[in-house]
Amino acid sequence: MMDDENSGGKIKKFLYLNRKAPYGSIYALESLEVVLIGAAFDQDVSLAFVDDGVYQLVKGQSTDGIGMKNFSPTYRALEMYDVEKLYVDQASLEARGLTEADLLVPVEVLDSAQMAALMAEQEVVFSF
Amino acid sequence: MKFGILINEGPYTHQASDSAYQFTKAALEKGHEIFRVFFYHDGVNNGTRLTVPPQDDRNVVTRWSELAKQYQLDLVLCVAAAQRRGLLDENEAKRNGKDAHNIAEGFRISGLGQLIEAGIQADRLVVFGD
């Protein structure tokens, strides 16, 4: 209903480019809020995690020590919103000593050329 | 060309908000259409009428209000981001039991759906941020 009203039936390729660590700034949390609201619009949605953004998906996050809300379980719920295309930049993972096994959701790991190709094919890129 | 504009940084602390204004103004002067300007993250701080910059500096908030008036621009502050940072319109203030509201002329408060809609409807969505 919402997308009939606001999108005129158009479906575009949306990419959410997540470049910031989950805590220490609010970008990651507010980006996730856009993804969740955006899910109601039935667009073709992809999420990419690059640079410190890969930390958003690391397993076993605990925020007790910093008194902030741990919002990492929400990434596991994305599937229920039909947000299923999650991509992680290989070089960013490796630079931080991480592997795919350290992540809390299934992702597709892309090299730099593949990541560039993914970005090139998008119609709307939100960079957070 | 129909543009959507997303501004993710507050005024004075970051170039992004100035760049967004210059871009928007230049696009309008060249005859392009601005579907909507959406303010998110600290960008919502561009919409408070309580900003008082020194007199010999630009007034970031006022110039948005003036541009909005001149071109009937739709300036939208994200409601969740705005509430976190203490930006309320009259209705929000009332609803949350606050004794003041501070939205500048030409701005309105609405939801993130307005941002997604801008992404869908505009030919290009341009993001100004860090």
Side-chain angles (χ1 to χ4, degrees), chain A residues 36-101:
Chain A
L36 297 177
I37 299 286
F41 285 76
D42 266 345
Q43 300 293 301
D44 180 359
V45 173
S46 301
L47 272 61
F49 297 84
V50 179
D51 299 335
D52 277 351
V54 299
Y55 286 128
Q56 294 178 26
L57 297 181
V58 168
K59 266 183 205 163
Q61 296 177 32
S62 167
T63 55
D64 295 348
I66 55 171
M68 286 176 76
K69 178 174 158 185
N70 177 357
F71 57 89
S72 65
T74 312
Y75 294 103
R76 255 188 246 121
L78 285 177
E79 213 180 343
M80 293 187 313
Y81 289 82
D82 294 323
V83 176
E84 290 164 340
K85 292 190 277 188
L86 274 60
Y87 303 95
V88 169
D89 177 53
Q90 188 173 22
S92 303
L93 268 187
E94 284 171 4
R96 288 159 185 81
L98 297 167
T99 68
E100 206 176 327

Side-chain angles (χ1 to χ4, degrees), chain B residues 100-122:
Chain B
H101 50 88
N102 58 339
I103 298 305
E105 198 183 332
F107 290 83
R108 66 187 178 103
I109 286 187
S110 190
L112 282 166
Q114 302 276 311
L115 170 61
I116 306 292
E117 192 199 7
I120 295 168
Q121 299 297 342

Side-chain angles (χ1 to χ4, degrees), chain A residues 23-43:
Chain A
Y23 311 104
S25 76
I26 201 165
Y27 296 102
L29 173 61
E30 288 191 336
S31 170
L32 197 51
E33 287 178 355
V34 185
V35 175
L36 297 177
I37 299 286
F41 285 76
D42 266 345
Q43 300 293 301

Side-chain angles (χ1 to χ4, degrees), chain A residues 6 12 27 30 33 128, chain B residues 9 40-41 84 120-122:
Chain A
N6 296 322
K12 281 190 173 178
Y27 296 102
E30 288 191 336
E33 287 178 355
F128 293 115
Chain B
E9 303 291 344
Y40 197 41
H41 300 298
R84 275 195 184 108
I120 295 168
Q121 299 297 342

Side-chain angles (χ1 to χ4, degrees), chain B:
Chain B
M1 181 82 78
K2 199 195 291 182
F3 288 104
I5 307 289
L6 171 61
I7 301 170
N8 289 331
E9 303 291 344
Y12 302 107
T13 49
H14 201 292
Q15 176 66 36
S17 120
D18 286 274
S19 300
Y21 173 78
Q22 303 297 353
F23 180 93
T24 303
K25 186 166 175 282
L28 289 165
E29 284 167 357
K30 291 225 174 229
H32 296 292
E33 182 187 341
I34 302 290
F35 178 77
R36 176 170 295 141
V37 183
F38 194 88
F39 298 83
Y40 197 41
H41 300 298
D42 277 1
V44 296
N45 289 311
N46 286 284
T48 168
R49 63 184 163 84
L50 296 182
T51 301
V52 187
Q55 282 185 2
D56 58 354
D57 199 356
R58 71 217 186 280
N59 190 321
V60 170
V61 178
T62 306
R63 68 186 186 183
W64 273 120
S65 295
E66 286 165 358
L67 199 66
K69 198 170 181 183
Q70 190 182 345
Y71 290 97
Q72 286 82 51
L73 276 183
D74 189 18
L75 307 180
V76 178
L77 311 181
C78 165
V79 59
Q83 287 189 347
R84 275 195 184 108
R85 291 163 177 85
L87 277 106
L88 304 170
D89 63 13
E90 205 170 346
N91 285 337
E92 291 298 316
K94 206 171 283 174
R95 206 161 57 83
N96 292 287
K98 300 293 183 183
D99 60 4
H101 50 88
N102 58 339
I103 298 305
E105 198 183 332
F107 290 83
R108 66 187 178 103
I109 286 187
S110 190
L112 282 166
Q114 302 276 311
L115 170 61
I116 306 292
E117 192 199 7
I120 295 168
Q121 299 297 342
D123 301 314
R124 295 280 187 282
L125 184 106
V126 187
V127 184
F128 294 87
D130 208 357

